[in-house]
Structures are given as structure tokens and as C-alpha cells.
Amino acid sequence: MNVEQDDIARRAASLLQKEPNLAVNDAVTQATAHLGLPRDTPPPSTALVRRHAQALAMSQLGQHGYAQQRYERLVAIIDLIRQLEHNFPRARLVLVGRASEGHFDADPHVHIRFIADTPIHLIADALVRAHLPDPEIQTFASRVGVLEQLHSAFDFAPLTITRCPPQQLTHAHLDLQTGKPIAQRTLLQLEQLLTGEK
């Protein structure tokens, strides 16, 4: 890592804090321009931007405030998964990606896999009953075929629920787009993570 990349990452983290809906790549582009660096300057890694974003949040909220914020966000996700599992007892729900590790710094996104053949409109109705913004239904061309998704949001991050018919989810431990291993937790594992937070 060089000084320029660190400066870009720090500036991008600051931009992301002011504009939470900004994508990391866009924040890096804006930060590079703001610092007056050439457009072809090697960008910092997303991980470096997120480390700066975490440090910035910790410095503003304090260690306890940061931990409390993370705890509250995990509780909101757990409450939704618990409600969906209650409404659809045959479905299996898994939180995947960075949120499953309790990371919400820089460009946060909550990705939930809904593993069942349940019609997508019934899941959408359940989100509305959970008082989330009206979800938008879209299709997603994944590595295991076309899947249906619901796009809504928590107050701290966008939410995507991907309905995965069990027979299509042939490699459940992999990212549906890249095919790389992906972090994931079930409701029980999230509750255990939460217990460790307190």
C-alpha cells in the first residue's frame, strides 16, 4: 500500500459516511478526483476503504457506541429472519456476506437467502407486514440459473432477499454471482454471534 492509496481510502471513507448509498467504487473515484490525482492512479482495495470507514465510525461513536450500533443492526436482521421463519416454517433462511459477520461499514448491504419454493409475492407481503419499504421484485441471472429477488431496505442498509428453490441451490456455500466461498449464518448462528456481542 502506498501513501496515495491510503489518502484515497481515507477520503472515500469520509464520503461514504456522508452519503451511505454511495458505492465504494464511486466514492474512490470521487476521492481520487478531489485529491487532484490522475484518474489512472491505482485505487485502494475495498477492504482498505472499509477499514478506514470502521476507524472513522469508531472515532465518532466511541468503542461502546460502535458496538451498540452493530448490536442493534444485528437485532433488526435477526428479528426479520425470525418473523419470516415463523411465517414460512418450511423455508430455510441464511444471512450471507459481510453482514453475516456483523460488518456494516462502507456500502453496507443485507443479503438473505430464502431457501424454499414459496411464491415470491407471499414473501413480499411478509416484508410489508414487517413494516419494511414496499419491496421491488426482480430477476437475477445467477450461476445456478435465474432466481427471483426482493429489494427493500432497513434504515441502515439496503436489503436483498434471494429466493432459492432448494433444487437450484447446488453449491450453498458459494457466492451466487462470483462462485467464490461466502460467509453465511443461520438464525441460530446469528443469535450465538449476538450473544457474544453483549
Side-chain angles (χ1 to χ4, degrees):
M1 177 191 66
N2 62 32
V3 175
E4 284 182 346
Q5 287 176 321
D6 200 52
D7 288 344
I8 294 169
R10 187 178 296 107
R11 177 66 186 165
S14 178
L15 289 170
L16 285 161
Q17 190 173 55
K18 292 173 190 158
E19 295 181 58
N21 294 326
L22 193 63
V24 172
N25 289 345
D26 293 338
V28 166
T29 301
Q30 289 183 28
T32 303
H34 177 82
L35 293 167
L37 297 168
R39 291 177 64 171
D40 60 354
T41 302
S45 67
T46 301
L48 180 60
V49 175
R50 287 177 172 150
R51 278 200 300 274
H52 276 290
Q54 182 179 21
L56 188 60
M58 281 185 166
S59 71
Q60 292 179 339
L61 297 171
Q63 190 78 31
H64 177 74
Y66 182 83
Q68 182 63 28
Q69 182 186 72
R70 173 178 147 137
Y71 179 85
E72 288 168 1
R73 290 174 176 183
L74 283 169
V75 167
I77 295 167
I78 286 171
D79 285 348
L80 175 64
I81 292 175
R82 195 178 282 139
Q83 193 169 336
L84 289 172
E85 286 195 350
H86 175 76
N87 291 340
F88 305 100
R90 293 187 178 182
R92 192 164 64 85
L93 279 83
V94 182
L95 180 64
V96 298
R98 295 177 65 247
S100 72
E101 302 289 339
H103 297 306
F104 303 101
D105 299 299
D107 196 15
H109 202 120
V110 178
H111 292 274
I112 296 172
R113 288 184 187 171
F114 188 103
I115 305 163
D117 291 311
T118 308
I120 197 79
H121 71 274
L122 294 180
I123 308 168
D125 290 346
L127 290 186
V128 172
R129 288 196 304 275
H131 307 293
L132 289 171
D134 286 352
E136 182 183 335
I137 300 173
Q138 294 181 356
T139 54
F140 164 55
S142 78
R143 295 174 65 87
V144 297
V146 176
L147 299 171
E148 291 179 307
Q149 290 185 321
L150 292 169
H151 296 274
S152 184
F154 289 100
D155 59 0
F156 57 87
L159 165 67
T160 298
I161 295 180
T162 304
R163 187 184 71 103
C164 302
Q167 67 276 13
Q168 262 183 276
L169 194 62
T170 50
H171 296 85
H173 62 289
L174 300 180
D175 187 293
L176 294 170
Q177 196 159 19
T178 66
K180 295 178 180 175
I182 189 167
Q184 53 187 283
R185 278 191 166 92
T186 62
L187 176 59
L188 178 60
Q189 290 168 330
L190 284 169
E191 288 170 342
Q192 289 168 345
L193 176 66
L194 199 64
T195 303
E197 295 285 303
K198 273 302 184 189

